[in-house]
CSV table of all heavy atoms in Angstrom, one decimal:
chain,number,residue,atom,x,y,z
A,75,LEU,N,13.4,6.9,-33.5
A,75,LEU,CA,12.5,5.8,-33.8
A,75,LEU,C,11.5,5.5,-32.7
A,75,LEU,O,10.4,5.1,-32.9
A,75,LEU,CB,13.4,4.5,-34.0
A,75,LEU,CG,14.2,4.5,-35.3
A,75,LEU,CD1,15.2,3.3,-35.3
A,75,LEU,CD2,13.3,4.5,-36.6
A,76,SER,N,11.9,5.8,-31.4
A,76,SER,CA,11.0,5.6,-30.3
A,76,SER,C,9.9,6.6,-30.4
A,76,SER,O,8.7,6.2,-30.2
A,76,SER,CB,11.8,5.9,-29.0
A,76,SER,OG,12.8,5.0,-28.8
A,77,LEU,N,10.2,7.8,-30.8
A,77,LEU,CA,9.1,8.8,-31.0
A,77,LEU,C,8.2,8.5,-32.1
A,77,LEU,O,7.0,8.5,-32.0
A,77,LEU,CB,9.8,10.2,-31.3
A,77,LEU,CG,10.4,10.9,-30.0
A,77,LEU,CD1,11.2,12.1,-30.5
A,77,LEU,CD2,9.4,11.3,-29.0
A,78,VAL,N,8.8,8.0,-33.3
A,78,VAL,CA,8.0,7.6,-34.4
A,78,VAL,C,7.0,6.5,-34.0
A,78,VAL,O,5.8,6.5,-34.3
A,78,VAL,CB,8.9,7.1,-35.6
A,78,VAL,CG1,8.1,6.4,-36.7
A,78,VAL,CG2,9.6,8.3,-36.2
A,79,GLY,N,7.5,5.4,-33.4
A,79,GLY,CA,6.7,4.3,-33.0
A,79,GLY,C,5.6,4.6,-32.0
A,79,GLY,O,4.4,4.3,-32.3
A,80,THR,N,5.9,5.4,-31.0
A,80,THR,CA,4.9,5.6,-29.9
A,80,THR,C,3.9,6.7,-30.4
A,80,THR,O,2.7,6.6,-30.1
A,80,THR,CB,5.6,6.1,-28.6
A,80,THR,OG1,6.5,7.1,-28.9
A,80,THR,CG2,6.3,4.9,-27.9
A,81,ILE,N,4.4,7.7,-31.2
A,81,ILE,CA,3.4,8.7,-31.8
A,81,ILE,C,2.4,8.0,-32.7
A,81,ILE,O,1.2,8.3,-32.7
A,81,ILE,CB,4.2,9.8,-32.5
A,81,ILE,CG1,4.9,10.7,-31.4
A,81,ILE,CG2,3.2,10.7,-33.3
A,81,ILE,CD1,5.9,11.7,-32.0
A,82,TYR,N,3.0,7.0,-33.5
A,82,TYR,CA,2.1,6.3,-34.4
A,82,TYR,C,1.0,5.6,-33.7
A,82,TYR,O,-0.2,5.6,-34.0
A,82,TYR,CB,2.9,5.3,-35.3
A,82,TYR,CG,2.0,4.5,-36.2
A,82,TYR,CD1,1.7,5.0,-37.5
A,82,TYR,CD2,1.5,3.2,-35.8
A,82,TYR,CE1,0.9,4.2,-38.3
A,82,TYR,CE2,0.7,2.5,-36.7
A,82,TYR,CZ,0.4,3.0,-37.9
A,82,TYR,OH,-0.4,2.3,-38.8
A,83,VAL,N,1.4,4.9,-32.6
A,83,VAL,CA,0.4,4.2,-31.7
A,83,VAL,C,-0.6,5.2,-31.2
A,83,VAL,O,-1.8,4.9,-31.2
A,83,VAL,CB,1.1,3.4,-30.6
A,83,VAL,CG1,0.1,2.8,-29.6
A,83,VAL,CG2,1.9,2.3,-31.2
A,84,GLN,N,-0.1,6.3,-30.6
A,84,GLN,CA,-1.0,7.3,-30.0
A,84,GLN,C,-2.0,7.9,-31.0
A,84,GLN,O,-3.2,8.0,-30.7
A,84,GLN,CB,-0.1,8.5,-29.5
A,84,GLN,CG,-0.8,9.3,-28.4
A,84,GLN,CD,-0.7,8.7,-27.0
A,84,GLN,OE1,-0.1,7.6,-26.9
A,84,GLN,NE2,-1.3,9.3,-26.0
A,85,LEU,N,-1.6,8.1,-32.2
A,85,LEU,CA,-2.5,8.7,-33.2
A,85,LEU,C,-3.5,7.7,-33.9
A,85,LEU,O,-4.5,8.1,-34.4
A,85,LEU,CB,-1.7,9.4,-34.4
A,85,LEU,CG,-0.8,10.6,-33.9
A,85,LEU,CD1,0.0,11.1,-35.1
A,85,LEU,CD2,-1.7,11.7,-33.4
A,86,ASN,N,-3.1,6.4,-33.8
A,86,ASN,CA,-3.9,5.4,-34.5
A,86,ASN,C,-4.5,4.4,-33.5
A,86,ASN,O,-4.8,3.3,-33.8
A,86,ASN,CB,-3.1,4.6,-35.5
A,86,ASN,CG,-2.6,5.5,-36.6
A,86,ASN,OD1,-3.3,5.8,-37.5
A,86,ASN,ND2,-1.4,6.0,-36.5
A,87,MET,N,-4.8,4.9,-32.2
A,87,MET,CA,-5.2,4.0,-31.2
A,87,MET,C,-6.5,3.3,-31.6
A,87,MET,O,-6.7,2.0,-31.4
A,87,MET,CB,-5.4,4.7,-29.9
A,87,MET,CG,-5.6,3.9,-28.7
A,87,MET,SD,-4.2,2.9,-28.3
A,87,MET,CE,-3.0,4.1,-27.7
A,88,GLN,N,-7.5,4.0,-32.1
A,88,GLN,CA,-8.8,3.4,-32.4
A,88,GLN,C,-8.7,2.4,-33.5
A,88,GLN,O,-9.2,1.3,-33.5
A,88,GLN,CB,-9.8,4.5,-32.8
A,88,GLN,CG,-11.2,4.0,-32.9
A,88,GLN,CD,-12.2,5.1,-33.2
A,88,GLN,OE1,-11.9,6.3,-33.1
A,88,GLN,NE2,-13.4,4.7,-33.7
A,89,HIS,N,-7.9,2.8,-34.5
A,89,HIS,CA,-7.6,1.8,-35.7
A,89,HIS,C,-7.0,0.5,-35.1
A,89,HIS,O,-7.4,-0.6,-35.5
A,89,HIS,CB,-6.7,2.5,-36.7
A,89,HIS,CG,-6.0,1.6,-37.6
A,89,HIS,ND1,-6.7,0.9,-38.7
A,89,HIS,CD2,-4.7,1.2,-37.7
A,89,HIS,CE1,-5.8,0.2,-39.3
A,89,HIS,NE2,-4.6,0.3,-38.7
A,90,LEU,N,-6.0,0.7,-34.3
A,90,LEU,CA,-5.3,-0.5,-33.8
A,90,LEU,C,-6.2,-1.4,-32.9
A,90,LEU,O,-6.1,-2.6,-33.0
A,90,LEU,CB,-4.1,-0.1,-32.9
A,90,LEU,CG,-3.0,0.6,-33.7
A,90,LEU,CD1,-1.9,1.2,-32.7
A,90,LEU,CD2,-2.3,-0.3,-34.7
A,91,GLU,N,-7.1,-0.8,-32.2
A,91,GLU,CA,-8.1,-1.6,-31.4
A,91,GLU,C,-9.1,-2.4,-32.4
A,91,GLU,O,-9.5,-3.4,-32.0
A,91,GLU,CB,-8.9,-0.7,-30.5
A,91,GLU,CG,-8.0,-0.2,-29.3
A,91,GLU,CD,-8.8,0.7,-28.4
A,91,GLU,OE1,-9.7,1.4,-28.9
A,91,GLU,OE2,-8.4,0.8,-27.2
A,92,GLU,N,-9.3,-1.8,-33.5
A,92,GLU,CA,-10.2,-2.4,-34.5
A,92,GLU,C,-9.6,-3.6,-35.2
A,92,GLU,O,-10.3,-4.5,-35.7
A,92,GLU,CB,-10.7,-1.4,-35.5
A,92,GLU,CG,-11.8,-0.4,-34.8
A,92,GLU,CD,-12.0,0.8,-35.7
A,92,GLU,OE1,-11.4,0.9,-36.8
A,92,GLU,OE2,-12.9,1.6,-35.3
A,93,VAL,N,-8.2,-3.5,-35.4
A,93,VAL,CA,-7.6,-4.6,-36.2
A,93,VAL,C,-6.7,-5.5,-35.4
A,93,VAL,O,-5.7,-6.1,-35.9
A,93,VAL,CB,-6.7,-3.9,-37.4
A,93,VAL,CG1,-7.6,-3.2,-38.3
A,93,VAL,CG2,-5.6,-3.1,-36.8
A,94,ILE,N,-7.0,-5.7,-34.1
A,94,ILE,CA,-6.3,-6.6,-33.2
A,94,ILE,C,-6.2,-8.0,-33.8
A,94,ILE,O,-7.2,-8.6,-34.2
A,94,ILE,CB,-6.9,-6.6,-31.8
A,94,ILE,CG1,-6.6,-5.3,-31.1
A,94,ILE,CG2,-6.3,-7.8,-31.0
A,94,ILE,CD1,-7.2,-5.2,-29.7
Side-chain angles (χ1 to χ4, degrees):
L75 290 173
S76 300
L77 288 170
V78 168
T80 49
I81 288 170
Y82 180 84
V83 172
Q84 202 79 2
L85 295 177
N86 294 281
M87 193 64 73
Q88 191 177 345
H89 160 73
L90 294 174
E91 286 175 336
E92 287 167 359
V93 297
I94 287 176

